[in-house]
Amino acid sequence: MAIAANVEYRVNYFIDAVAQPTVTAVIEILLWVGIFRTAGHATIGGFGLQDYLAYVLWGAFFARIAASWMYEFRMIEEIDSGSVNGLLVRPMSFYEYYLSQLLGYKFITTAVSFLIPLGVGAALGWNIHYDRLPTAVLLVFFYLILVHSISFVVATCAFFLNRIYALTVAKNLALWTLTGELIPLDLMPEPFRGWLLILPFPSGVFVPVGYLTGRVGLETVNQGFLSVAVSLILVNALGLVMWKRGLRSYSGTGA
Amino acid sequence: MLSKYFKLYTAFFRASLTADLEYRANFATRIITDIFWYLAQIIAFEVLYRHTEKIGSWNVEQTRVFLGVLFVVDALYMIFISENLDRFSEKIRKGELDLLLAKPVNSQFMVSLQRANTAIIGNLLMGTSWLVWSLVHLPDFSWVRLLWLSFLIPCGLVVTYSCRFFFSAMAVIFTKSENLQFMWYQIYKLGMRPDSIYVPWIRIVLMTVFPVAMVASVPARSLVEEPQPALFVWSLVVSGILLYLSNRFWRLCLKFYSSASS
């Protein structure tokens, strides 16, 4: 259902799955080429230009998979406008309904959009460990469930506060930095680098892309799985409490 | 004519301020949100400068000035325009555009400036403070150069508005175009880096086809480098052309518009 619903708007789908991550990757590649062109060093932070190009190309595509703007806005809108009433009577929870929508959409996005870094990486002969791709994709989808759970918590705030869209923006901006999409986290100075890697957020971009490009090893990936699992328990527990409290205070506006 | 629009805009601004103060939590969150954005930009460059002396032709002090200009232009854009164009696609789907088109004022004015985001005034103060701080730490800076900003920042704002408006107006044609709006942000990101990092042909594109270099790079150049009058005149010309073209494009889009309201 999610696949059919999203493919219906082909221009939108094409932009989300292909054009947007491609443009992001091109911009980041330009930045890194510019940095290396003027820096006068062969390596920065122990890695060469090709390592950074591979990182930003794959990072842009992983970041698209690991983000959930659209469905979070929709969840907030449902609660804010009262149209959540229609979902409450379905034999599926609000959380599950949107998770299935999100995962369905991300599966088709991944299937199409990953052809680009795969093709570019192979054509340019970048040092990518393709045998690690399944594990990296698995981690990012596991992280996506956490992202959805966080979105669910943000959406439940709409029961208590009006106009909470800014929370979504704030959260996504924070994740932009914390996932490693903005800048590879291993460039960060200590102790920030160490602190950031303990958090679950690098599992969205830095850890899977770092694993693919050889910046990090399997132990960091395992730590990522563990960190996301623990966070899932905590965030979902919070989400459950907020959902129940929210429903108690909800007056069914828009029914 | 101008005074009518000025009075109208003053009324819009006052109404927006009243509405924003009603949702105080949102007011505070918007400020916090942009602090995250400022921090992300600052962290990115500060971390990079830990590993290299120069990016493009600028050192860390000069890049801080660039960021200050970027924050100020961005805050102005967020205050006056962003809120209107961000939800433009939704307005079309819900048929709200019909109401705006029926008003006895310029429809582009209505769709672009009806709502001000007054919560961002705090961000403008923060951006300005960062700019002043970075200028204080810039060696041999002549404060007279700030006069250049009196027209380069408005030019940057007009360029940002016009480019963004092209993408927003496409919602009239495509109806569901949220991702098209994200494309704008990707192009805007090119302007969020100093233009000197790009190879010459890309810089030409960023000065002409997608002139996002006018947003912050050109105004920042007026502060950290010797003035380049030809470049500043070009900034003025480009902003004028883009504003005119945005109006022509809006008229064209309206020919595709079919009302969504019942």
Side-chain angles (χ1 to χ4, degrees), chain B residues 42-53:
Chain B
I42 293 167
I43 288 169
F45 281 106
E46 293 292 332
V47 168
L48 286 173
Y49 275 108
R50 287 177 58 86
H51 300 275
T52 181
E53 299 261 305

Side-chain angles (χ1 to χ4, degrees), chain A residues 87-106:
Chain A
L87 288 171
L88 292 176
V89 294
R90 289 187 190 181
M92 190 186 229
S93 72
F94 184 72
Y95 176 91
E96 289 165 340
Y97 173 74
Y98 272 103
L99 179 62
S100 62
Q101 290 277 316
L102 177 70
L103 289 179
Y105 182 54
K106 294 296 182 182

Side-chain angles (χ1 to χ4, degrees), chain A residues 22 72 124 131 175 185 213:
Chain A
T22 304
E72 186 168 316
L124 298 178
D131 55 314
L175 292 185
L185 297 180
T213 55

Side-chain angles (χ1 to χ4, degrees), chain B residues 11-191:
Chain B
F12 285 158
F13 195 86
R14 206 175 294 137
S16 301
L17 182 64
T18 311
D20 283 340
L21 287 172
E22 196 182 336
Y23 298 101
R24 288 190 183 81
N26 197 59
F27 203 94
T29 321
R30 287 305 296 257
I31 294 175
I32 295 166
T33 300
D34 273 29
I35 291 174
F36 277 115
W37 188 75
Y38 295 150
L39 280 176
Q41 301 304 321
I42 293 167
I43 288 169
F45 281 106
E46 293 292 332
V47 168
L48 286 173
Y49 275 108
R50 287 177 58 86
H51 300 275
T52 181
E53 299 261 305
K54 280 194 169 187
I55 296 177
S57 55
W58 288 346
N59 58 28
V60 68
E61 286 87 5
Q62 290 169 317
T63 302
R64 283 174 188 154
V65 173
F66 164 82
L67 286 175
V69 174
L70 177 68
F71 295 161
V72 170
V73 177
D74 188 72
L76 290 170
Y77 169 76
M78 296 285 283
I79 291 169
F80 297 112
I81 294 154
S82 172
E83 187 93 348
N84 300 285
L85 300 187
D86 284 354
R87 307 196 80 173
F88 188 62
S89 174
E90 192 185 321
K91 278 180 189 166
I92 291 168
R93 280 209 304 277
K94 290 183 174 175
E96 291 170 17
L97 183 59
D98 296 7
L99 293 171
L100 299 180
L101 293 176
K103 307 279 184 201
V105 283
N106 183 295
S107 57
Q108 188 179 356
F109 172 83
M110 282 301 287
V111 299
S112 307
L113 294 168
Q114 192 190 19
R115 179 86 171 83
N117 194 342
T118 56
I120 306 295
I121 290 171
N123 301 61
L124 179 62
L125 293 175
M126 282 191 293
T128 309
S129 306
W130 173 269
L131 177 61
V132 171
W133 179 83
S134 61
L135 288 173
V136 167
H137 289 82
L138 191 69
D140 306 325
F141 175 66
S142 162
W143 290 90
V144 182
R145 286 185 182 180
L146 277 175
L147 290 173
W148 289 112
L149 295 187
S150 61
F151 79 92
L152 287 174
I153 282 187
C155 285
L157 192 60
V158 169
V159 166
T160 312
Y161 160 72
S162 305
C163 292
R164 175 76 171 96
F165 186 78
F166 281 116
F167 282 87
S168 295
M170 282 187 215
V172 176
I173 302 170
F174 295 112
T175 310
K176 187 174 179 180
S177 65
E178 284 95 342
N179 282 315
L180 211 53
Q181 310 315 317
F182 279 110
M183 283 297 287
W184 150 248
Y185 288 110
Q186 302 305 320
I187 292 169
Y188 185 57
K189 272 171 81 175
L190 285 167

Side-chain angles (χ1 to χ4, degrees), chain A residues 12 16 22 31 43 45 51 71 80-81 93 97 105 120-121 124 131 136 157 160 165 170 172 184 221 230 238 241 255:
Chain A
N12 227 36
D16 191 34
T22 304
L31 172 71
T43 61
D51 297 310
Y71 286 100
D80 218 14
S81 67
S93 72
Y97 173 74
Y105 182 54
V120 173
L124 298 178
D131 55 314
C157 295
F160 314 102
Y165 296 98
N172 285 330
V221 176
V230 172
L238 176 66
V241 171

